[in-house]
Amino acid sequence: EKGGYDHFMLKEIHEQPKAYRDTMRGRISEDGRSVQLPELKITPEQLKKINRVHIVACGTALHAGLVGKNVIESLVRVPVETDVASEYRYRSPIITPETLVIVVSQSGETADTLAALREAQRCGARVLAITNVVGSSVAREADDVIITLAGPEIAVASTKAYSSQLIAFFLFGTYWAQTVGSQDEENVAYLLAAMQSLPEQVEHILAQAETIKSVAESISHHSSLFFIGRGIDYAIAMEGSLKLKEISYIHSEAYAAGELKHGTLALIEEGTPVIALLTQEDLYEKMISNIKETKARGANVLGIVNEGNEVEVAKSVDRHFAIPRTLPLLTPALSVIPLQLLSYYASLALRHDVDKPRNLAKSVTVE
Ligand code: F6R
């Protein structure tokens, strides 16, 4: 049942190229120039009227939503807010008929996410669900549904469901952009070509799992570490940190790299591991100076960089791991893979129950 892997989590990490291909299949036209989402009931006219988006979810699904915010805002230029589902309905969110609420849920049964969906509909918004389970409560009640085709996810720590949610956001963001004309045809074709290269690029990363394993073994001796990034890399830092806490029980925090010096830098001491994401080249120099701030206090830094920047980044970090090149907006679908492997191998080194971490359940049906 684990297909030759020691754990479901490792199997599911390795299923990501397939999950990406399955989630994209049939949704990109044969000429590679447009997205087709015939499952959507929202009409192009209705989509054109949407002037505000709320993305609501819990945990890892929320982290996919943070990437989704970046994707929609940069492709469509409509303002997007993301909310923790358990907070959403208690803050009297401003919802109008021109608001699109996007709920993200692997299981489609998370109580808080379902309650947020109902509240949004009660206030007159249209709800789009991104979920992995056909026939789930969220899928049944939402006005529109985009199914991720990650296949069943057994490990409590979400991997392939999360990354397929990113693909769903790329597809929906591109579809929306093409519908309202906020991106020209060439840009759309360029985005879609880059998306179609992602599965093979993930395979390339997975082939280097051993490199990550040795980093994971060295961090497993530490009781605290930091993930830092800027822009879309900050969203990935949060996901990397959650995954590590969840299955290795090592405390970690994700920080927007520029925010460290406003207090948290006090916690960096000799040997503190810092995982720094440097996939956004327009923010590269800024990241390097933030890395230097941590190194001056003794941090041991692993840099996640784009291929081609290894030599340059090696001057500022202790170790680095390179991911294949893609468009800046699509990097999360690649940069999350080494972080998943890092938490898997750290949990393994500490002999924890990788697939069934303490205190956690796969589906959270209480509020
Ligand atoms: C973390 C994890 C949880 C879930 C969260 C939402 O690896 O799995 O944080 O992402 O409980 O679950 P769904 O997506 O089923 O609503």
Side-chain angles (χ1 to χ4, degrees):
E1 49 169 3
K2 291 181 194 149
Y5 291 98
D6 291 342
H7 297 94
F8 282 111
M9 185 181 177
L10 190 61
K11 172 174 179 265
E12 290 161 5
I13 287 173
H14 281 267
E15 281 171 347
Q16 290 175 110
K18 180 178 185 318
Y20 286 16
R21 288 189 182 101
D22 290 348
T23 301
M24 284 188 271
R25 182 165 300 121
R27 289 170 167 161
I28 297 177
S29 65
E30 272 183 27
D31 64 5
R33 299 188 64 83
S34 62
V35 176
Q36 42 206 31
L37 291 168
E39 60 268 61
L40 294 185
K41 294 189 209 111
I42 187 166
T43 64
E45 290 65 39
Q46 288 169 320
L47 198 51
K48 281 177 191 155
K49 289 199 187 114
I50 298 295
N51 60 15
R52 184 203 308 264
V53 178
H54 292 168
I55 300 177
V56 189
C58 302
T60 285
L62 178 66
H63 295 156
L66 293 172
V67 173
K69 170 184 163 75
N70 276 269
V71 170
I72 294 171
E73 287 191 339
S74 74
L75 295 179
V76 191
R77 305 301 297 160
V78 166
V80 182
E81 284 176 78
T82 52
D83 267 277
V84 172
S86 56
E87 293 289 327
Y88 186 63
R89 61 196 193 284
Y90 305 113
R91 72 163 177 102
S92 311
I94 298 167
I95 301 173
T96 69
E98 288 78 41
T99 305
L100 177 67
V101 175
I102 305 180
V103 295
V104 189
S105 176
Q106 187 284 128
S107 63
E109 300 298 344
T110 301
D112 279 310
T113 307
L114 190 57
L117 175 160
R118 289 176 180 157
E119 175 67 7
Q121 285 178 333
R122 195 186 64 79
C123 296
R126 218 186 151 91
V127 177
L128 163 67
I130 296 177
T131 179
N132 200 37
V133 181
V134 180
S136 59
S137 305
V138 162
R140 277 185 281 113
E141 295 191 27
D143 302 285
D144 286 291
V145 184
I146 296 178
I147 296 288
T148 48
L149 286 129
E153 192 177 63
I154 310 293
V156 166
S158 180
T159 54
K160 63 176 182 171
Y162 166 83
S163 55
S164 303
Q165 288 158 0
L166 302 183
I167 302 295
F169 273 115
F170 298 157
L171 288 167
F172 179 66
T174 308
Y175 173 79
W176 193 349
Q178 120 203 339
T179 304
V180 300
S182 56
Q183 299 292 319
D184 66 29
E185 283 182 30
E186 288 316 307
N187 266 355
V188 168
Y190 196 58
L191 266 162
L192 296 178
M195 280 166 60
Q196 286 177 299
S197 300
L198 292 172
E200 211 173 303
Q201 294 178 315
V202 173
E203 280 158 8
H204 180 78
I205 296 172
L206 292 172
Q208 301 167 69
E210 287 299 314
T211 315
I212 294 293
K213 189 175 179 186
S214 72
V215 180
E217 283 163 2
S218 69
I219 68 160
S220 69
H221 307 296
H222 290 265
S223 55
S224 173
L225 62 115
F226 292 90
F227 290 82
I228 59 173
R230 283 173 173 258
I232 214 166
D233 280 344
Y234 176 37
I236 295 303
M238 287 191 230
E239 175 55 10
S241 176
L242 175 63
K243 212 95 304 176
L244 187 72
K245 284 182 280 233
E246 191 177 6
I247 58 170
S248 76
Y249 317 146
I250 301 171
H251 184 257
S252 68
E253 272 191 69
Y255 252 80
E259 185 66 7
L260 266 188
K261 56 177 154 306
H262 298 284
T264 310
L265 204 51
L267 291 173
I268 306 276
E269 47 188 44
E270 197 57 42
T272 302
V274 170
I275 319 289
L277 291 125
L278 297 118
T279 72
Q280 302 301 300
E281 295 192 357
D282 55 337
L283 298 166
Y284 185 83
E285 291 305 325
K286 291 267 156 57
M287 274 304 296
I288 294 290
S289 49
N290 297 140
I291 287 170
K292 286 185 179 148
E293 291 162 358
T294 70
K295 283 213 61 71
R297 277 84 186 175
N300 191 293
V301 182
L302 168 72
I304 309 281
V305 292
N306 296 333
E307 260 169 20
N309 290 351
E310 297 99 320
V311 176
E312 188 53 37
V313 86
K315 296 177 199 156
S316 312
V317 301
D318 298 280
R319 284 176 290 191
H320 61 267
F321 184 86
I323 58 163
R325 281 190 172 269
T326 183
L327 298 176
L329 208 52
L330 306 185
T331 54
L334 301 179
S335 57
V336 74
I337 312 287
L339 303 189
Q340 295 168 343
L341 289 166
L342 190 74
S343 59
Y344 173 77
Y345 286 118
S347 177
L348 198 66
L350 293 164
R351 299 176 186 279
H352 295 316
D353 188 344
V354 176
D355 285 336
K356 287 201 182 65
R358 68 187 184 202
N359 309 345
L360 300 173
K362 184 68 183 161
S363 181
V364 183
T365 49
V366 289
E367 292 185 10

